[in-house]
Amino acid sequence: THLNGPGLYYNYDLRGYMKQVMQNIADAQHENGGIPSTAPEYATFGGEDNPFVHSPEWGCAVVFIPFQYRDFYGDASLIKDYYDVMVRYADYLGTREEEGLLRFGLGDWCDYGGDHQYGGSHHTPVPVVASAHYYMVLTYMTEAAQLMGRKDDAARFQAKSEAVKEAFQKEFFHGVTTDSRGRKTASYSTGSQCANALPLFAGMVPDSCHEAVLNALVDDVRAHGNRLTTGDVGNRYLFQALARDGQDQVVCDLVNHDGVPGYGYQLKFGATSLTELWDPNDGASWNHFMMGQIEEWFYASLAGIRPQPNGKVIIDPRPVDGVDWVKAKWGEFEVEWHRDQTGIDLKVKGPKE
């Protein structure tokens, strides 16, 4: 829900649907505050320690959804209505801490590369993925508590987020080095695309190291022939970490081809819906929208339609080489641009107010 959330919001009116989703999640919350990986929890996967039962990358939807809802509709009602549920989940994660970090979950599920196309993280350690999501939960909860006027909650969530960030930096950051071209680079953990994209997206990277980590991320994409190595969880963070740092051309290069892994190959294969794995020949589901995160980039970057929490909408298209025209609509906003001999011809329609 939250990983594909923005792409879904751009394509559908989810004001009624997401309210029902949040109620389903709240109803499924366990007595210990944990959120199961599926809600309603029609299927059970074992005991409380089973990562299929509790995985932070899935359970954090209870905190992320209300904020995405607010960001797209300018409506904070889900934060207010489910605040207590969100607090219980954040506190549950606190009970699972080990030295300030989380070390359980499914990680970057189905990350791409090698002979292991299906299953848990292979390129990125689970604690990296789980702890980054924990940090985002705590930063959101700080904001939620401030919105609710809960000063004590805000203070403790803020303090906890800073502690998690410090522990993450201490355990996973390798420091800044200078490459043969004189550029500074720096990586987290294994240096995988997910390991670097997640802290960039989450705002965990110190300002002094930000450019170095971004350089390492772009270098890894280029080293893999403009192919991704992320999975169902890391895909969104890869696309958005690059896009939000002005690297839209790199995102375009990642997806504008017909090889594996890529969306073009699925079209070439004849798929009429997204498949669970990049290569449909590898089996698994042929109707599985988990890799639909690119939709967010289509609307937010190529078309440049970016709704704001205050209800305003920023229109700021970002043309890239390899794309000659874009036409998109969200609500009352329409954006269309195409290249001509003089540059970019842009047309925008919106509400009168």
Side-chain angles (χ1 to χ4, degrees):
T1 47
H2 68 93
L3 293 168
N4 280 286
L8 293 171
Y9 283 110
Y10 278 121
N11 281 275
Y12 304 98
D13 184 342
L14 300 181
R15 275 170 279 218
Y17 180 74
M18 281 304 180
K19 290 178 180 179
Q20 182 60 59
V21 168
M22 281 301 296
Q23 188 58 56
N24 288 342
I25 293 174
D27 290 343
Q29 188 169 37
H30 290 191
E31 290 185 6
N32 61 7
I35 298 293
S37 296
T38 58
E41 194 176 13
Y42 292 131
T44 56
F45 297 96
E48 293 291 310
D49 292 333
N50 190 313
F52 284 96
V53 177
H54 291 296
S55 187
E57 304 81 17
W58 274 255
C60 69
V62 72
V63 175
F64 289 16
I65 288 174
F67 280 93
Q68 290 182 351
Y69 188 91
R70 181 208 61 182
D71 292 348
F72 273 83
Y73 300 129
D75 179 359
S77 62
L78 293 184
I79 300 172
K80 298 174 182 177
D81 292 345
Y82 293 96
Y83 178 77
D84 291 340
V85 176
M86 296 158 66
V87 169
R88 289 185 61 210
Y89 181 65
D91 288 343
Y92 160 76
L93 292 180
T95 68
R96 301 290 302 271
E97 270 189 31
E98 296 180 25
E99 299 177 336
L101 301 172
L102 297 185
R103 304 180 186 277
F104 70 98
L106 297 173
D108 189 18
W109 184 255
C110 285
D111 51 356
Y112 184 82
D115 298 326
H116 39 260
Q117 303 306 329
Y118 196 85
S121 288
H122 297 93
H123 303 307
T124 311
V126 165
V128 173
V129 186
S131 299
H133 282 82
Y134 183 32
Y135 174 78
M136 288 189 282
V137 165
L138 293 168
T139 56
Y140 272 137
M141 290 308 304
T142 301
E143 187 176 351
Q146 292 169 343
L147 177 68
M148 297 293 291
R150 306 286 185 87
K151 294 182 179 180
D152 290 345
D153 282 354
R156 71 184 181 90
F157 286 131
Q158 175 66 32
K160 179 62 69 174
S161 69
E162 292 174 356
V164 171
K165 184 177 180 179
E166 182 178 350
F168 190 94
Q169 191 75 4
K170 180 180 179 180
E171 179 156 338
F172 300 123
F173 188 64
H174 295 308
V176 178
T177 60
T178 302
D179 66 16
S180 58
R181 293 172 289 175
R183 296 163 61 254
K184 292 183 178 180
T185 63
S187 291
Y188 285 84
S189 186
T190 58
S192 69
Q193 292 172 13
C194 181
N196 285 332
L198 250 175
L200 281 170
F201 177 92
M204 304 180 79
V205 182
D207 291 343
S208 60
C209 308
H210 188 99
E211 183 178 357
V213 177
L214 180 63
N215 285 340
L217 177 59
V218 173
D219 287 350
D220 190 85
V221 171
R222 298 307 193 196
H224 282 89
N226 295 323
R227 299 295 190 268
L228 56 78
T229 63
T230 46
D232 288 349
V233 174
N235 289 338
R236 184 195 178 214
Y237 302 117
L238 173 62
F239 298 150
Q240 289 305 306
L242 291 169
R244 296 180 185 189
D245 254 308
Q247 300 293 326
D248 289 288
Q249 187 61 56
V250 180
V251 180
C252 182
D253 295 342
L254 269 169
V255 299
N256 193 20
H257 60 83
D258 63 1
V260 179
Y263 299 98
Y265 182 80
Q266 298 205 6
L267 292 173
K268 183 178 178 181
F269 178 81
T272 55
S273 59
L274 286 173
T275 60
E276 187 172 8
L277 301 179
W278 286 113
D279 188 346
N281 295 294
D282 289 334
S285 172
W286 282 14
N287 183 11
H288 201 87
F289 82 119
M290 272 299 287
M291 292 188 294
Q293 301 98 329
I294 196 63
E295 284 279 332
E296 180 180 7
W297 182 71
F298 289 159
Y299 281 88
S301 287
L302 289 185
I305 304 173
R306 295 197 286 278
Q308 305 297 301
N310 61 7
K312 296 183 181 295
V313 176
I314 293 175
I315 304 295
D316 180 26
R318 298 173 181 171
V320 293
D321 293 340
V323 178
D324 293 329
W325 63 270
V326 165
K327 185 175 183 180
K329 184 178 187 297
W330 180 69
E332 298 181 82
F333 294 89
E334 296 182 36
V335 174
E336 181 177 358
W337 64 260
H338 68 271
R339 298 182 187 275
D340 58 26
Q341 294 179 343
T342 62
I344 302 294
D345 180 38
L346 172 66
K347 297 178 182 178
V348 177
K349 293 182 180 179
K352 295 180 179 180
E353 295 184 359

